[in-house]
Amino acid sequence: MSSNLHQAGVALLKQLGRHADLVMDVYLSGSISEGGEQAQAIEKLRQADILWRPEPGQDLRLKRSVRALLEEALKDERNRQIDANAGSGLATIKTLADHYKEARHNADYSASEAYLSDLNEQVYSFAEGLKYSIRVLWSRINNEFGYVGTINAKIRENELAQSQVSELLNGLEMFQFSELGEIAGDIRELRKLLVTTLQETLSDCTQELGVVQSRLLELLGRFRQIQGRTRLLKGWLLHTDMHPDYQVSDHVGHKQLPVLFNCAEPLLSPASVDVTNTSQESELLEMVASIKSISRTERDFSYREQDQAFALVDAEDFDIPDNPLKLAVDEYFCEVIDSGLRQSALQYHEQKALAWDKESWLYQVICGFDGLPEEHRRYFELEPIGEPHPVYNGNFIIRDVELWMA
């Protein structure tokens, strides 16, 4: 099967290369008739499915696949074809992934390799098609829809591009990576394609489509502004054509001026201090020094009848009492040192009938061990006793701790 495909592909490429001038003529003109000096070459291209006839009696045209290949290779600005159907690509990717998992489960290695190759091609083709659609949108924005000549046509093209961007974004929302992760399972090849590659591509393309959408809205506002001014100018020209004797009157002589003629821009822009100008540093310092603090809040003043003497003496020493819970932990450490045995913190808590709850007691024991100096901590060993969390991996539930001398 692969050898037949190879031969058919080589024959098709040879046909395109042998009749390259004719193919480009049809691409630029849009169609070609069967008569003329190149009738034999046209017939060969038609038999190779490079040219086709839409309806009986019409001229021959290029196949859509050949035209799309030339538009992408030549970066033709007239290309406005964008494939926004992301749902079909997603369904194909899921189907190929299921085929690959089934063939791998049945130990059919040749079929699994073929399905994996098709899945790679489908994922990379989908990503390339998405990026190509964004490139087409950017080329139309940068050219400001220069392939159409009127403002109304530019606005229609802008609205078309905005609808295509919305369809692309809606299609990308269909990709649920939690579902794709369940489909991939623990298969490394599928996780790389369905999760890593697709997620990176879709994240970059979504951000870029957001920028494209904002640029389209900005460009649409500019087009509508130009359209409004054009309509105003055309209306004025139409008015002067219908009233050739019209003369602009002296609006200054009117008692009530129209608002349109009573607007004036400020002669001077608002002043501001240039703090980066070093030549004005002295003046700025003088202005800051002359600023006085004015406080209008009422204050109550108390006046002394006579002066009172005071003397500077040394501050009295004072002690901060230790936390009783910390003192109890210190006694627990001393008990372990005196006995020299491995002792449980909860058993000590029950023996001494301490008043604190067990959770606070265990927490303070752990904090007391971590708070010891390094030279003292190496004389002890602390082991937490518990079990891993049944739901959340990496979490360890401590039920008790045991302390002993190292």
Side-chain angles (χ1 to χ4, degrees):
M1 182 65 181
S2 59
S3 61
N4 295 333
L5 285 175
H6 183 271
Q7 293 177 1
V10 170
L12 177 63
L13 293 176
K14 286 182 178 180
Q15 288 283 352
L16 289 174
R18 189 178 299 113
H19 306 291
D21 294 336
L22 180 58
V23 171
M24 286 305 302
D25 291 339
V26 180
Y27 174 76
L28 294 176
S29 61
S31 62
I32 190 173
S33 58
E34 294 189 49
E37 301 177 355
Q38 299 178 335
Q40 186 176 0
I42 292 174
E43 181 62 23
K44 290 182 179 179
L45 292 176
R46 191 186 64 80
Q47 293 178 359
D49 286 337
I50 298 175
L51 297 176
W52 70 296
R53 191 188 310 278
E55 294 181 0
Q58 289 190 356
D59 294 338
L60 296 173
R61 295 178 176 273
L62 279 177
K63 279 282 189 176
R64 178 59 206 159
S65 56
V66 180
R67 176 171 287 276
L69 175 64
L70 292 175
E71 287 173 349
E72 182 176 0
L74 299 175
K75 295 181 175 58
D76 193 352
E77 295 179 353
R78 299 176 301 171
N79 181 21
R80 287 168 282 175
Q81 300 297 326
I82 293 178
D83 186 10
N85 186 11
S88 176
L90 176 62
T92 304
I93 289 173
K94 290 181 179 179
T95 303
L96 290 175
D98 292 336
H99 291 343
Y100 171 72
K101 289 171 63 178
E102 182 182 7
R104 178 171 174 165
H105 179 73
N106 296 331
D108 191 354
Y109 299 110
S110 60
S112 63
E113 290 180 0
Y115 287 135
L116 182 60
S117 177
D118 293 343
L119 182 61
N120 276 279
E121 182 64 28
Q122 181 65 28
V123 170
Y124 292 135
S125 298
F126 177 78
E128 178 61 26
L130 189 59
K131 294 178 181 178
Y132 171 72
S133 300
I134 296 176
R135 287 198 303 269
V136 171
L137 290 170
W138 274 120
S139 65
R140 295 160 68 181
I141 291 174
N142 295 330
N143 193 31
E144 295 187 357
F145 305 99
Y147 43 82
V148 292
T150 62
I151 291 295
N152 293 329
K154 289 179 182 291
I155 292 176
R156 286 192 295 269
E157 288 290 334
N158 189 297
E159 293 173 349
L160 172 63
Q162 288 191 39
S163 65
Q164 291 172 343
V165 171
S166 300
E167 290 179 4
L168 286 172
L169 291 174
N170 294 333
L172 296 184
E173 290 181 357
M174 299 173 60
F175 284 80
Q176 300 295 329
F177 289 100
S178 58
E179 180 184 1
L180 293 177
E182 294 178 359
I183 294 175
D186 58 349
I187 303 176
R188 183 173 60 87
E189 293 82 1
L190 290 183
R191 295 196 68 86
K192 180 180 178 182
L193 286 174
L194 302 183
V195 179
T196 305
T197 303
L198 277 179
Q199 192 167 14
E200 291 178 356
T201 303
L202 266 62
S203 177
D204 296 339
C205 292
T206 303
Q207 294 178 1
E208 195 167 0
L209 283 173
V211 179
V212 168
Q213 199 169 35
S214 63
R215 290 290 300 275
L216 285 173
L217 290 174
E218 179 183 356
L219 199 59
L220 181 61
R222 190 190 310 168
F223 288 158
R224 292 196 182 278
Q225 183 180 13
I226 296 173
Q227 186 185 40
R229 294 179 178 178
T230 304
R231 287 177 178 176
L232 180 61
L233 181 59
K234 288 183 177 179
W236 170 253
L237 293 176
L238 180 62
H239 178 76
T240 54
D241 292 340
M242 295 177 64
H243 304 83
D245 55 346
Y246 173 77
Q247 292 182 357
V248 180
S249 60
D250 187 7
H251 297 285
V252 180
H254 292 176
K255 294 182 179 180
Q256 293 182 354
L257 293 179
V259 180
L260 179 62
F261 300 101
N262 200 21
C263 298
E265 297 182 357
L267 298 178
L268 296 177
S269 59
S272 59
V273 179
D274 187 7
V275 295
T276 60
N277 191 352
T278 56
S279 63
Q280 300 177 2
E281 184 176 357
S282 58
E283 289 80 0
L284 292 175
L285 290 176
E286 292 178 0
M287 294 171 62
V288 173
S290 63
I291 297 175
K292 296 181 179 180
S293 176
I294 300 175
S295 178
R296 302 186 184 276
T297 58
E298 297 181 357
R299 297 181 181 178
D300 297 333
F301 296 96
S302 60
Y303 299 95
R304 295 177 181 177
E305 296 180 355
Q306 59 183 359
D307 296 336
Q308 296 181 359
F310 66 94
L312 296 175
V313 297
D314 295 337
E316 297 180 358
D317 296 335
F318 60 92
D319 296 331
I320 299 176
D322 291 335
N323 188 358
L325 180 57
K326 181 178 181 300
L327 295 176
V329 171
D330 294 340
E331 294 177 0
Y332 169 64
F333 275 76
C334 293
E335 180 73 19
V336 173
I337 294 173
D338 295 338
S339 62
L341 300 176
R342 187 188 189 113
Q343 191 166 359
S344 169
L346 286 183
Q347 292 179 1
Y348 181 83
H349 182 276
E350 295 174 356
Q351 292 175 4
K352 300 297 182 180
L354 299 178
W356 302 281
D357 59 281
K358 296 181 180 180
E359 184 177 358
S360 301
W361 168 252
L362 292 177
Y363 183 77
Q364 186 62 36
V365 170
I366 296 173
C367 293
F369 176 78
D370 294 337
L372 290 175
E374 184 65 29
E375 61 271 11
H376 295 164
R377 193 189 309 165
R378 62 171 176 261
Y379 293 110
F380 294 94
E381 291 290 341
L382 183 70
E383 180 182 2
I385 300 174
E387 68 277 354
H389 197 281
V391 178
Y392 302 102
N393 296 334
N395 294 335
F396 187 79
I397 302 176
I398 298 177
R399 303 296 184 186
D400 192 6
V401 295
E402 290 186 352
L403 183 71
W404 70 93
M405 300 295 295

